Amino acid sequence: MASPSASLPVPPIPDLSRWRPLPPGAWPSPRSHIPTDEEVIAAIAFVWCIHWNSFSTMDPAGLCARILAKHPSWHLLEKRVADVRRRALADGHLRRPAFEAGLRMQPSMEEVRMREHAYDFDPRWRKARRAQAKKLTGSFQITCGEVVWGQLAAFVSGMKSISRDRQDLNSPRASPWRFRAAARPGTWQIARVNAAPAPFSVSKSTGFLLHHADVDPASVLCCARRGDTGTPCIARLGSGGWGTEDRGDMLRTIVDVDPEEWRALWTRRWQMYLDGIAPDRYHDDAERWARLDALRTRATFFIDAARAPEVLRMIARPSALDEHTRFNESSSLFPPDRSLGKGGPSFGCHLFLPGPEGDEIARPVFSGARSPLFPDSDELVAFWYDSRHLGYDDVDLASAPAIEHI
């Protein structure tokens, strides 16, 4: 029997005498030319001359893309475009096109006045000690009878709010979110949930349910996914755009709560705003601002309102929360003295929504009664943080929700 190697045909030996080199330029090597600084400066000036108002609005990514479209053989990175532009503007080799003078968009004086004066800040917040972020645990304590919740801008808004969320029975005229609610005091538990798991398959969580220990989580989900207005709960369903609009209030609050860390950065950013220049990812301060941007979406705070200044002080400086955020991991939040064996139990959490990016829905669940501590406010007994923005149909409602306590 012949070996396998003997049955394979022998490849022919190429005749090298018939090979001929390609003529110059017949097949240019892509991205083979590394331009000089002078060439990059000239290319930036060309782009600025053909794109209106690009001096103040086009970031290095836009410049680099347009330069490479004109010079496809160049090997050029966005970071180098940003570096050459910065140095050339500083030493005068690159100047703003004369015809763009006066075209840069300026903020209205009304908005400038609002940003400078319409601002609420309590100086006592600067004296708060910094909270600590640890690995997510299964429960936390609400002691003051109020919670603050939401993404970073919403969290700051709720921290300053003097009114509270209402159930409003999901009416079209429901009041806007206040990101502050009168919550039932005591132990709250955290569970990963899927309110409508597919049959005959492994159930993956689509969100979190935070609920008071006295409340049955299965009953809450079964009622809340219908938007039920009867016992045992009244769910107020949010929409995909439940984040609050931040007009500089959140940033200024963080700056003021830790001026030593942020005052110089805020001064530079404010001047860029007045000049109509949008900061890009290659700006000198971009990395430090990006740390805050990571807390704006796909995650929510839910904490005892009395501890909000401690959490804000923690956010103002790098902490374990940033490390957890980098890996999309949820955190439990503890008092400042936790590492010393004091401090007490967790007072809240910071939750990352599982699954691909999409809508994130806030679904506060109320008991239907008034809060004993705040008789003019509805009592919150659960909070469903859901990634499913569509309603639940009859098939979904017939399934039993999957609940996994942490």
Side-chain angles (χ1 to χ4, degrees):
M1 181 176 179
S3 64
S5 60
S7 63
L8 298 176
V10 179
I13 300 176
D15 184 4
L16 299 180
S17 64
R18 301 178 63 182
W19 284 22
R20 297 290 184 273
L22 290 173
W27 193 268
S29 175
R31 304 287 186 258
S32 60
H33 176 65
I34 300 178
T36 63
D37 286 357
E38 289 73 17
E39 289 176 317
V40 176
I41 291 172
I44 293 175
F46 174 82
V47 171
W48 278 350
C49 287
I50 64 175
H51 292 281
W52 179 81
N53 206 28
S54 60
F55 179 89
S56 58
T57 60
M58 191 177 297
D59 63 4
L63 284 173
C64 189
R66 289 165 174 80
I67 291 173
L68 292 177
K70 180 175 175 58
H71 303 282
S73 65
W74 282 17
H75 179 74
L76 186 64
L77 301 178
E78 296 175 20
K79 188 173 183 179
R80 187 172 176 221
V81 172
D83 182 60
V84 171
R85 181 180 66 168
R86 177 179 57 79
R87 288 189 284 109
L89 285 171
D91 60 23
H93 286 86
L94 192 60
R95 293 183 176 85
R96 180 182 181 185
F99 67 87
E100 282 199 355
L103 295 181
R104 188 183 303 183
M105 298 185 67
Q106 296 286 342
S108 66
M109 289 307 300
E110 179 184 357
E111 185 166 2
V112 171
R113 284 194 298 269
M114 181 188 67
R115 285 183 174 239
E116 289 180 343
H117 302 296
Y119 177 67
D120 179 25
F121 182 81
D122 188 341
R124 292 176 296 179
W125 294 341
R126 295 194 189 105
K127 300 179 181 179
R129 302 184 63 185
R130 304 180 196 278
Q132 297 187 49
K134 304 289 184 181
K135 184 178 178 180
L136 185 65
T137 58
S139 64
F140 57 91
Q141 296 288 323
I142 299 298
T143 57
C144 75
E146 284 186 294
V147 294
V148 175
W149 61 274
Q151 301 159 353
L152 181 55
F155 164 77
V156 174
S157 176
M159 177 178 169
K160 298 181 178 184
S161 177
I162 59 174
S163 56
R164 304 177 186 89
D165 290 319
R166 300 168 51 196
Q167 57 194 34
D168 281 334
L169 304 182
N170 303 323
S171 67
R173 296 183 178 180
S175 60
W177 295 121
R178 305 299 182 184
F179 307 104
R180 188 183 190 99
R184 182 177 293 178
T187 300
W188 282 58
Q189 297 178 343
I190 306 173
R192 294 185 176 93
V193 299
N194 186 330
F200 312 112
S201 64
V202 178
S203 174
K204 294 184 178 180
S205 66
T206 59
F208 291 91
L209 179 69
L210 314 179
H211 65 92
H212 193 274
D214 293 342
V215 175
D216 176 39
S219 298
V220 166
L221 281 179
C222 288
C223 295
R225 65 186 179 181
R226 294 195 306 264
D228 205 339
T229 58
T231 27
C233 66
I234 297 176
R236 178 179 173 188
L237 307 186
S239 66
W242 57 268
T244 185
E245 181 184 8
D246 176 38
R247 302 179 68 87
D249 187 81
M250 179 269 291
L251 293 179
R252 288 183 64 195
T253 302
I254 293 177
V255 170
D256 280 342
V257 85
D258 195 343
E260 181 181 347
E261 179 78 2
W262 290 97
R263 184 62 55 82
L265 277 75
W266 174 251
T267 300
R268 291 193 291 269
R269 189 182 183 101
W270 178 241
Q271 189 58 49
M272 290 176 67
Y273 171 78
L274 294 179
D275 291 340
I277 301 176
D280 54 51
R281 56 181 171 148
Y282 297 107
H283 186 262
D284 292 341
D285 301 328
E287 184 176 347
R288 297 176 71 179
W289 290 114
R291 188 174 66 79
L292 300 180
D293 292 337
L295 300 173
R296 289 175 178 262
T297 58
R298 301 294 296 173
T300 185
F301 290 94
F302 191 91
I303 67 167
D304 190 304
R307 299 286 189 171
E310 297 174 1
V311 175
L312 192 65
R313 289 275 294 168
M314 176 190 66
I315 293 170
R317 299 251 177 141
S319 67
L321 181 67
D322 301 308
E323 188 68 15
H324 296 174
T325 300
R326 190 161 65 93
F327 294 102
N328 292 351
E329 296 177 351
S330 301
S331 306
S332 285
L333 304 177
F334 290 89
D337 295 328
R338 175 71 177 183
S339 59
L340 302 178
K342 306 174 183 177
S346 169
F347 57 76
C349 55
H350 180 247
L351 301 176
F352 261 94
L353 202 61
E357 290 192 11
D359 287 330
E360 44 190 309
I361 313 299
R363 304 178 190 264
V365 180
F366 296 87
S367 67
R370 294 290 186 171
S371 166
L373 297 179
F374 304 97
D376 60 338
S377 300
D378 299 315
E379 183 186 45
L380 186 76
V381 293
F383 182 86
W384 182 14
Y385 187 33
D386 193 18
S387 63
R388 178 168 172 169
H389 66 283
L390 300 175
Y392 291 86
D393 57 26
D394 292 339
V395 176
D396 296 328
L397 297 178
S399 63
I403 302 172
E404 178 190 0
H405 279 96
I406 296 173

